[in-house]
C-alpha cells in the first residue's frame, strides 16, 4: 500500500488530467442552478434540502417525519402517502401538459409513435384496471419482460398505480435468467411481447418466456403484446393477448394513496457472486430523489427533448426514462433498437429527426462511436443538442473530449453521472451551469449527498474506497428476501457508511475520480494500480479506441499488466504499434504501469449493459477455464480472444 502521511492508501493514483472545461457562458445564463450556494445550503441542512425537493411532488397525505435512520435501514417521509402514477400522469393531464408529448418513440424498423401525457394516462388506466380485474393486488410482484416499446412503461406505471411492485427483466436476458428472477419474487403474472426488433432481427421474447416458465409452476397468466407478429406457441389456459386483456377494462382507476415506504419495484442486479440480488426501491424517497436529480442535473426546461439511450430493463431506464422524467413532465425519446441499424449513424439521425436537446448515454457507446469514426455524426445536424450526459462506467478523458467536440460541438456541458442500481438516483455529478468539468471526473457529490474516499480503517485518503456517509432518499431499502446479504455487502466493510464497491480518488480541488470496481484493482510490484487509469492512458493513444486492462499472475511482480485493445477503423495492427502503445502508457502515467503485453481484440467482452467483464479476461490471460459467461452480451468474443491469447501474443 502507498502512504500519504501516516495513512495507508488502498489505491495509488497515477493519471494526471489537467484540462478544465468551464460551463459555456450561454448555458449558465439560462441554467436552473446558477450559484454554488445550493451546495452550502444543502450541506447545512440536508433534510431541509430533500424536504424542499419532495414538496415538488403531489402528496395525498403529508409526511410526519422526514427521516428515520437505524443503520442499515432508512425510512424517508414517514407517514406520507402518494401515488407514483398520479405524480407522473394525473398531475400533468390536469394542466397545460395534457397534450404535451410524454414519449416520442421510434421502433427499430423506423415506425414511430408519439404518446401525449393524456395518451399515456389513458393507456395506463386501462391496463391498471385490467390487472386489478385479473386479481392483481397491492404487494403482488409482476414480472415484465418486454422490448423497448411504449407498452413497457405503460405496464410499469399501471403496476405503480395499483401498488403491485414490478420486476422488469431486460429483454436480452436468457430464459434461465428470467426463470431465476421470476422464481425469486414469485410473480403470478408475467407481461411480455411476441418479440421485439433488434439489429434487423426479431428477439424471441415469448419463446424465451415459454422456456423460462417450464420451471415456474406458480405463474398463472402471461399477457402478450403483439409487436412483431412473429409465430409463437400459445397456451390457451395461460396466455392472454394484451389487446384482449384491456378490452373490458375501465377507463379510470383511482390512484390509491400508498405509503412513502411501500415497495415500488424490484430490480435484479447480478453482483459478483452470480446469484442475482433483487434490489428493493420504495415510493416517496425514490420519486423525490430521481425527480430532483433529473431536474437539476439535466437542467430540465419545459421545451426540452430529452433522450436517455439506456434500456428500461436497467436502473438507468427506470429512474431516468420512466420515473424521473415523467414526474417532471418531460418529453422523452425512446428508441427500440441498436445504434448501428440500418447504419452506424442511427443515433444521430434520431437526434436530428426529433431535435433532441439533452442526450444521456454510456461510455461504452461513446467509445464505439469513436472507433467507427467521425463520418457518422458528421452526416447529421446535431445543433439542437445543449447538454450531454454519461453513465455506467468511468469515462476515459479522451472519449470525454471527443464527446464534447464531435457531438456537443464545444457548446454542451457534459454531466458524468456516478450512481448504481442500489443508489436509485445519481449521487455524484456536475451541475451543468456551475461546475467546471475535468474530463474523466464525475466531479462532486450532488447537494445533500456526503461521499468520501477512505481506507480499510475508514480514514479519509486521496485514493481508496468510495463510501456514502449519510442516507439519501432513493437508496435501496434492502435485498429482496436476503437481509443478511444486504448488511454484509453494503454496511459491513467499513463501519457506519454505505460501501459502494468502487475505487475512487479525490484531487486537491475536491473532485472525485472513479477508478472502477475494487475487485479490478491490480497489484503490480506492491503498487495498487487502477485498471481505469491504465485504460485511459491506452485510449489516449491515437490508434486505440477502447481498452480493457487486467492483472495476471507474475512470479516477480505479483501481477503483470495485460492490455486488450481495440484499434480504430483503418489503423494497421502491427507489432511496432504494440511497442508504441506500451511506451505511450509508460510516458503518460509511469513505467510501473507499462503493459507487459498488448493484445489486439476485435471486440471486448461486455455485459449486456455494456460493462467490460475483466473477470473473463483474467481467465483468458491465466489460461483458466472461463468462469460464468451467462451475463456476457456476445459469447463468441471471449472464445475468440482465448484462441488468440493461446496462439501467443505479447
Ligand atoms: O462501478 C460503477 C459504475 O457502474 C456501477 C453501477 O452499475 P449498475 O448498478 O449497473 O448501474 C449502472 C447505472 C447507474 C458503479 O458501481 N458506474 C456507473 N456510473 C459511473 C460508474 N463508474 C464511473 N463513472 C460513472 N459515471
Amino acid at each position: 500500500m502507498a502512504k500519504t502521511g501516516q495513512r495507508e492508501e488502498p489505491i495509488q493514483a497515477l493519471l494526471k488530467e489537467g484540462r478544465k472545461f468551464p460551463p459555456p457562458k450561454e448555458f449558465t445564463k439560462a441554467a436552473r442552478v446558477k450559484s454554488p450556494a445550493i451546495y452550502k445550503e444543502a450541506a447545512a441542512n440536508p433534510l431541509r434540502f430533500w424536504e424542499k425537493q419532495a414538496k415538488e411532488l403531489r402528496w395525498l397525505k403529508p409526511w410526519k417525519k422526514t427521516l428515520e435512520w437505524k443503520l442499515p435501514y432508512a425510512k424517508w417521509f414517514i407517514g406520507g402517502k402518494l401515488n407514483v402514477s398520479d405524480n407522473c400522469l394525473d398531475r400533468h393531464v390536469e394542466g397545460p401538459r395534457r397534450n404535451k408529448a410524454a414519449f416520442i418513440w421510434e421502433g427499430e424498423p423506423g415506425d414511430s409513435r408519439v404518446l401525449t401525457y393524456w395518451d399515456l394516462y389513458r393507456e395506463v388506466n386501462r391496463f391498471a384496471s385490467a390487472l386489478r380485474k385479473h386479481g392483481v393486488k397491492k404487494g403482488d410482484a409482476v414480472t415484465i419482460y418486454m422490448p423497448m416499446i411504449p407498452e413497457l412503461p405503460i405496464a410499469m406505471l399501471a403496476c405503480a398505480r395499483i401498488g403491485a411492485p414490478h420486476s422488469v427483466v431486460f429483454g436480452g436476458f436468457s430464459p434461465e435468467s428470467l426463470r431465476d428472477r421470476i422464481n425469486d419474487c414469485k410473480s403470478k403474472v408475467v407481461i411480455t411481447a411476441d418479440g421485439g426488433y433488434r439489429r434487423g432481427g426479431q428477439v424471441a421474447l415469448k419463446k424465451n418466456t415459454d422456456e423460462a416458465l417450464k420451471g415456474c409452476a406458480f405463474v398463472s397468466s402471461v399477457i402478450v403484446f403483439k409487436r412483431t407478429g412473429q409465430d409463437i406457441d400459445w397456451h390457451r389456459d395461460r396466455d392472454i393477448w394484451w389487446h384482449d386483456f384491456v378490452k373490458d377494462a375501465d377507463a379510470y382507476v383511482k390512484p390509491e394513496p400508498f405509503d412513502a415506504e411501500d415497495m415500488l419495484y424490484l430490480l435484479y442486479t447480478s453482483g459478483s457472486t452470480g446469484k442475482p440480488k433483487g434490489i428493493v426501491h420504495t415510493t416517496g424517497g425514490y420519486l423525490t430523489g430521481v425527480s430532483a436529480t433529473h431536474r437539476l442535473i439535466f437542467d430540465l426546461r419545459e421545451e426540452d427533448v430529452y433522450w436517455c439511450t439506456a434500456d428500461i430493463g436497467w436502473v438507468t431506464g427506470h429512474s431516468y426514462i420512466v420515473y424521473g422524467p415523467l414526474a417532471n413532465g418531460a418529453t422523452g425519446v425512446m428508441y427500440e433498437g441498436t445504434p448501428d441499424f440500418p447504419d452506424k449513424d442511427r443515433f444521430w439521425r434520431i437526434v436530428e429527426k426529433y431535435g433532441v436537446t439533452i442526450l444521456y448515454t454510456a461510455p461504452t457507446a461513446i467509445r464505439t462511436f469513436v472507433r467507427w469514426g467521425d463520418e457518422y455524426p458528421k452526416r447529421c445536424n446535431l445543433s439542437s443538442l445543449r447538454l450531454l450526459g454519461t453513465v455506467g462506467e468511468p469515462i476515459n478523458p479522451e472519449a470525454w473530449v471527443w464527446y464534447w467536440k464531435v457531438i456537443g460541438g464545444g457548446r454542451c456541458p457534459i454531466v458524468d453521472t456516478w450512481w448504481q442500481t442500489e443508489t436509485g438516483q445519481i449521487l455524484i455529478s456536475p451541475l451543468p451551469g456551475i461546475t467546471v468539468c475535468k474530463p474523466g471526473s464525475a466531479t462532486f457529490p450532488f447537494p445533500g449527498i456526503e461521499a468520501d474516499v477512505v481506507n480499510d480503517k475508514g480514514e479519509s485518503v486521496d485514493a481508496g474506497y468510495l463510501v456514502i456517509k449519510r442516507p439519501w432518499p432513493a437508496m435501496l431499502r434492502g435485498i429482496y428476501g436476503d437481509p443478511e446479504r444486504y448488511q454484509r455487502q453494503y454496511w459491513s466493510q467499513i463501519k457506519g457508511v454505505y460501501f459502494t464497491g468502487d475505487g475512487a480518488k479525490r484531487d486537491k480541488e475536491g473532485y472525485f475520480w472513479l477508478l472502477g470496481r475494487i475487485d479490478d484493482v491490480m497489484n503490480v510490484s506492491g503498487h495498487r494500480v487502477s485498471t481505469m487509469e491504465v485504460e485511459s492512458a491506452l485510449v489516449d493513444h491515437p490508434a486505440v479506441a477502447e481498452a480493457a486492462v487486467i492483472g495476471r499472475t507474475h512470479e516477480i511482480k505479483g501481477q503483470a499488466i495485460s492490455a486488450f485493445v481495440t484499434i480504430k477503423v483503418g489503423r494497421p495492427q502491427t507489432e511496432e504499434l504494440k511497442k508504441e502503445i506500451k511506451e505511450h502508457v509508460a510516458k503518460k502515467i509511469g513505467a510501473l504501469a507499462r503493459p507487459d503485453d498488448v493484445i489486439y481484440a476485435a471486440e471486448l467482452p461486455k455485459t449486456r449493459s455494456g460493462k467490460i467483464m475483466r473477470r473473463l479476461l483474467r481467465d483468458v490471460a491465466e489460461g483458466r477455464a472461463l468462469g460464468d459467461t451467462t451475463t456476457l452480451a456476445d459469447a463468441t468474443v471471449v472464445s475468440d480472444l482465448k484462441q488468440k491469447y493461446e496462439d501467443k501474443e505479447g
Side-chain angles (χ1 to χ4, degrees):
M1 285 200 182
K3 292 206 173 183
T4 308
Q6 288 311 306
R7 294 185 174 172
E8 293 194 329
E9 303 241 295
I11 307 174
Q12 185 166 346
L14 300 174
L15 188 72
K16 302 254 179 311
E17 174 54 62
R19 288 169 286 188
K20 284 188 178 178
F21 292 73
K25 283 205 180 63
E26 284 306 301
F27 189 97
T28 305
K29 242 194 259 166
R32 267 182 185 270
V33 181
K34 293 193 189 66
S35 154
I38 189 171
Y39 288 107
K40 264 209 181 129
E41 269 171 46
N45 194 339
L47 290 191
R48 193 178 309 147
F49 174 78
W50 291 119
E51 285 163 3
K52 194 169 142 201
Q53 305 307 324
K55 283 180 189 155
E56 297 276 327
L57 302 174
R58 177 150 80 185
W59 292 81
L60 301 171
K61 194 175 158 211
W63 64 88
K64 290 207 178 78
K65 193 175 170 200
T66 307
L67 171 67
E68 184 187 287
W69 176 222
K70 289 187 186 145
L71 197 134
Y73 292 101
K75 287 184 183 165
W76 282 85
F77 308 115
I78 296 157
K81 291 195 188 287
L82 75 168
N83 184 298
V84 166
S85 141
D86 174 57
N87 272 283
C88 292
L89 301 169
D90 304 43
R91 243 185 347 147
H92 306 314
V93 301
E94 290 161 14
R97 289 186 184 133
R98 184 186 180 92
N99 295 317
K100 178 178 176 176
F103 285 122
I104 300 173
W105 172 83
E106 174 145 313
E108 195 185 73
D111 45 341
S112 178
R113 281 161 69 189
V114 177
L115 281 91
T116 62
Y117 273 92
W118 176 251
D119 293 328
L120 197 60
Y121 168 83
R122 243 183 24 238
E123 300 272 352
V124 168
N125 269 284
R126 287 261 185 232
F127 201 73
S129 160
L131 283 173
R132 209 178 243 173
K133 286 187 181 203
H134 200 71
V136 178
K137 296 183 306 301
K138 178 175 178 219
D140 294 346
V142 173
T143 296
I144 305 178
Y145 179 64
M146 293 191 91
M148 277 286 283
I149 55 175
E151 282 65 26
L152 168 52
I154 289 168
M156 292 162 76
L157 289 159
C159 288
R161 199 165 183 90
I162 62 169
H166 54 70
S167 159
V168 179
V169 179
F170 170 57
F173 274 127
S174 65
E176 294 73 36
S177 307
L178 176 60
R179 181 185 302 140
D180 289 347
R181 286 158 176 76
I182 296 173
N183 275 331
D184 191 73
C185 69
K186 304 254 172 320
S187 42
K188 292 197 208 72
V189 174
V190 176
I191 305 169
T192 186
D194 49 356
Y197 293 102
R198 196 169 170 78
R199 198 162 281 134
Q202 292 178 359
V203 187
L205 293 172
K206 174 62 165 62
K207 186 161 172 267
N208 288 349
T209 307
D210 290 342
E211 189 60 36
L213 293 190
K214 283 181 186 158
C216 312
F218 46 83
V219 173
S220 55
S221 321
V222 178
I223 299 149
V224 188
F225 184 82
K226 192 180 241 173
R227 163 71 182 130
T228 58
Q230 69 203 75
D231 279 341
I232 51 171
D233 288 339
W234 200 255
H235 300 244
R236 277 168 165 282
D237 49 346
R238 189 196 71 190
D239 300 345
I240 314 161
W241 283 113
W242 175 297
H243 50 264
D244 288 330
F245 189 66
V246 293
K247 220 165 30 198
D248 300 315
D250 299 332
Y252 179 69
V253 172
K254 191 163 181 293
E256 247 185 82
F258 292 118
D259 197 276
E261 282 297 325
D262 278 343
M263 198 195 312
L264 176 63
Y265 69 79
L266 270 168
L267 184 60
Y268 288 88
T269 164
S270 25
S272 48
T273 59
K275 185 182 178 293
K277 308 173 271 197
I279 301 298
V280 174
H281 282 295
T282 57
T283 301
Y286 176 78
L287 201 62
T288 299
V290 298
S291 59
T293 46
H294 180 256
R295 197 167 48 240
L296 298 174
I297 293 170
F298 295 104
D299 186 50
L300 191 71
R301 289 189 209 154
E302 202 56 55
E303 64 278 15
D304 271 318
V305 179
Y306 160 87
W307 182 22
C308 166
T309 69
D311 192 288
I312 292 178
W314 311 118
V315 75
T316 306
H318 282 59
S319 297
Y320 298 108
I321 295 178
V322 183
Y323 293 116
L326 294 177
N328 290 333
T331 292
V333 170
M334 211 180 136
Y335 170 56
E336 180 185 29
T338 59
D340 55 353
F341 187 84
D343 200 354
K344 296 188 176 75
D345 59 5
R346 186 63 182 270
F347 271 27
W348 320 119
R349 297 278 174 211
I350 293 176
V351 169
E352 179 181 300
K353 181 169 174 191
Y354 301 111
V356 172
T357 58
I358 304 171
L359 178 69
Y360 189 29
T361 193
T364 176
I366 297 167
R367 291 186 305 252
T368 305
F369 299 140
V370 173
R371 176 148 61 100
W372 288 344
D374 296 2
E375 61 171 291
Y376 299 102
K378 293 242 155 85
R379 286 177 187 169
C380 301
N381 179 356
L382 305 181
S383 62
S384 58
L385 289 170
R386 67 177 195 92
L387 176 64
L388 304 173
T390 75
V391 59
E393 273 186 298
I395 180 162
N396 319 104
E398 282 324 295
W400 193 104
V401 172
W402 182 90
Y403 197 31
W404 167 276
K405 278 193 195 143
V406 180
I407 305 305
R411 232 182 20 257
C412 309
I414 297 178
V415 288
D416 172 359
T417 63
W418 178 89
W419 58 298
Q420 307 175 305
T421 304
E422 293 87 339
T423 70
Q425 65 177 84
I426 298 168
L427 295 189
I428 302 181
S429 164
L431 286 174
I434 57 175
T435 308
V436 175
C437 288
K438 300 185 186 180
S441 166
T443 74
F444 305 108
F446 187 75
I449 303 297
E450 198 188 338
D452 200 358
V453 178
V454 300
N455 62 15
D456 296 280
K457 295 186 194 135
E459 300 163 325
S460 293
V461 288
D462 292 340
Y465 311 122
L466 177 69
V467 297
I468 312 295
K469 298 180 93 166
R470 224 201 310 245
W472 62 99
M475 67 190 272
L476 75 165
R477 299 301 198 262
I479 296 176
Y480 191 70
D482 201 345
E484 190 275 325
R485 190 172 177 196
Y486 173 64
Q487 167 81 45
R488 176 164 39 92
Q489 188 131 6
Y490 305 111
W491 302 97
S492 299
Q493 273 92 341
I494 293 160
K495 210 167 165 265
V497 298
Y498 172 81
F499 187 78
T500 65
D502 278 1
K505 64 178 179 183
R506 201 171 19 192
D507 68 19
K508 298 268 175 297
E509 295 174 305
Y511 283 69
F512 284 74
W513 300 75
L514 276 299
L515 298 175
R517 302 294 296 168
I518 297 289
D519 305 342
D520 290 334
V521 170
M522 302 174 288
N523 194 337
V524 185
S525 311
H527 301 279
R528 307 263 294 157
V529 179
S530 124
T531 52
M532 150 64 184
E533 295 203 314
V534 183
E535 285 161 9
S536 286
L538 286 160
V539 174
D540 186 68
H541 186 284
V544 177
E546 196 165 17
V549 159
I550 53 114
R552 66 173 163 80
T553 313
H554 187 279
E555 259 179 39
I556 298 158
K557 298 202 244 185
Q559 282 190 317
I561 300 179
S562 291
F564 295 78
V565 297
T566 63
I567 298 296
K568 285 184 192 160
V569 172
R571 304 288 298 240
Q573 302 180 12
T574 59
E575 287 305 311
E576 208 41 51
L577 179 61
K578 283 187 185 176
K579 277 197 205 125
E580 220 185 84
I581 291 173
K582 288 183 195 174
E583 277 325 297
H584 188 80
V585 175
K587 225 171 92 202
K588 181 102 188 150
I589 59 175
L592 90 99
R594 180 194 280 109
D596 296 85
D597 15 71
V598 169
I599 303 105
Y600 292 133
E603 296 281 347
L604 297 173
K606 290 183 187 164
T607 63
R608 290 180 174 84
S609 63
K611 292 194 207 306
I612 296 172
M613 292 182 74
R614 294 182 188 76
R615 172 172 61 77
L616 292 178
L617 291 175
R618 282 196 289 269
D619 291 342
V620 169
E622 303 273 5
R624 284 193 296 258
L626 295 177
D628 183 11
T629 54
T630 50
T631 51
L632 199 60
D634 177 356
T636 59
V637 172
V638 249
S639 42
D640 291 355
L641 274 178
K642 202 163 161 38
Q643 189 60 50
K644 223 168 158 197
Y645 204 85
E646 280 157 10
D647 292 348
K648 198 55 218 152
E649 294 281 345

